[in-house]
Amino acid sequence: MWASRILSSATRAAPLANSALAAIKPARTLTTPMMTLRQSSSSTSAISYKRSHPHKRHPALTSDYLHPAPPSAEEAVSNILYNTPPIGMTRTKQRHIFNCLVQNEPGVLSRVSGILAGRGFNIDSLVVAKTEVADLSRMTIVLRGESNTIEQARRQLEDLVPVWAVLDYTGFKVIERELLLIKVSILGPEHVRAQMNSRSPNGWQLLQEDADEDMTPSNALRQTHGHLKSLTELSKLFQGKVVDVSGDCAVIELSAKPDRIDAFVKLVKPFGILEAARSGMMAMPRSPIYDRHELEEDEAQEEGSGVDASMLPPG
């Protein structure tokens, strides 16, 4: 009896449970889209943002970039020809260096320069100085001309009585040095003309006269020190040095080859050159270096193996 009552109550409760579930399911189906809409509209996580906005990926470095191929012969030749200055159509006359050993007495310089001037030579450089011998002076002359005419002038100079010898160092390995003293402005190229015309050595007065509204004393100080620093670094590159500094200029000393001095003068010209003095070129031949082993090998080759070459078969 009790079992039949329990089964009947269970069958009665089943439709109620099914109806309750049926009532709940539509509610879930209605609320589920709203939940999903709220989550998608308010989602700002980094992962979803990166997925929706992918980063632009740069292409990987190719092997040509990491290990570039060497240039071809055509590219190398084109590069060399482009960087090589063109050869002039008219060749300049050859430069000759005379080293004259003369007697240390008055009038020798005028006689030597008179002979060269009579032949129409323009002397590029002439330096006369004493030597280790009291009665002997060394005269270094640099001039340009044809070899035949230069040789005739050398012989004519050697015929002079106070001249001991005249050596032509053309084609020999020589040490060339020239001394340069140059005064450069540190105020700027726009003040160079005012510095030359002004008798006042104070450069700050020139800066104040030509200064703009923005040119304060501090800016003027930075400008002059910036120019001085640039000149000092440039002098160190050419193995020179700044020997004097004032409020508006600096004096630089440089001893080098004439070509390097010409290059240095061109580089400091934008700063403003106030004065320049060059001593002229001095030259001295390099001493040869002898190797004892090479001399022994040469002597052994000259001695030979002791075989008479006339007894050998022809060929």
Side-chain angles (χ1 to χ4, degrees), residues 76-87:
V77 172
S78 301
N79 184 27
I80 294 172
L81 293 178
Y82 178 78
N83 293 322
T84 303
I87 302 175

Side-chain angles (χ1 to χ4, degrees), residues 22-159:
I24 292 173
K25 283 183 180 180
R28 289 184 179 178
T29 55
L30 291 175
T31 56
T32 303
M34 296 179 63
M35 294 293 292
T36 54
L37 289 175
R38 289 178 182 177
Q39 289 179 358
S40 62
S41 60
S42 62
S43 176
T44 56
S45 62
I47 296 176
S48 60
Y49 180 80
K50 290 178 181 179
R51 289 177 180 176
S52 60
H53 299 82
H55 291 284
K56 182 180 179 181
R57 295 184 180 181
H58 298 280
L61 298 179
T62 60
S63 59
D64 296 337
Y65 180 84
L66 298 175
H67 305 285
S72 62
E74 182 179 357
E75 295 175 350
V77 172
S78 301
N79 184 27
I80 294 172
L81 293 178
Y82 178 78
N83 293 322
T84 303
I87 302 175
M89 298 300 295
T90 57
R91 294 185 178 181
T92 58
K93 295 181 180 180
Q94 188 177 8
R95 188 189 67 164
H96 292 262
I97 304 172
F98 281 173
N99 188 7
C100 305
L101 301 176
V102 301
Q103 189 72 24
N104 188 10
E105 62 182 23
V108 179
L109 178 60
S110 61
R111 296 177 67 180
V112 170
S113 60
I115 289 177
L116 296 177
R119 287 186 168 270
F121 290 112
N122 184 21
I123 300 175
D124 294 344
S125 173
L126 192 150
V127 178
V128 184
K130 293 182 179 180
T131 62
E132 68 281 0
V133 182
D135 297 335
L136 193 64
S137 296
R138 183 188 295 267
M139 187 181 300
T140 306
I141 306 173
V142 181
L143 44 85
R144 297 180 183 273
E146 302 295 337
S147 299
N148 297 332
T149 312
I150 290 289
E151 181 61 23
Q152 293 177 4
R154 189 192 68 81
R155 293 179 180 178
Q156 191 171 356
L157 288 176
E158 216 166 23
D159 292 339

Side-chain angles (χ1 to χ4, degrees), residues 259-282:
D259 296 340
R260 287 180 62 85
I261 289 184
D262 293 338
F264 181 77
V265 172
K266 292 179 181 179
L267 290 175
V268 299
K269 191 175 181 179
F271 290 92
I273 299 175
L274 301 176
E275 295 181 42
R278 299 176 67 164
S279 64
M281 192 187 72
M282 300 181 66

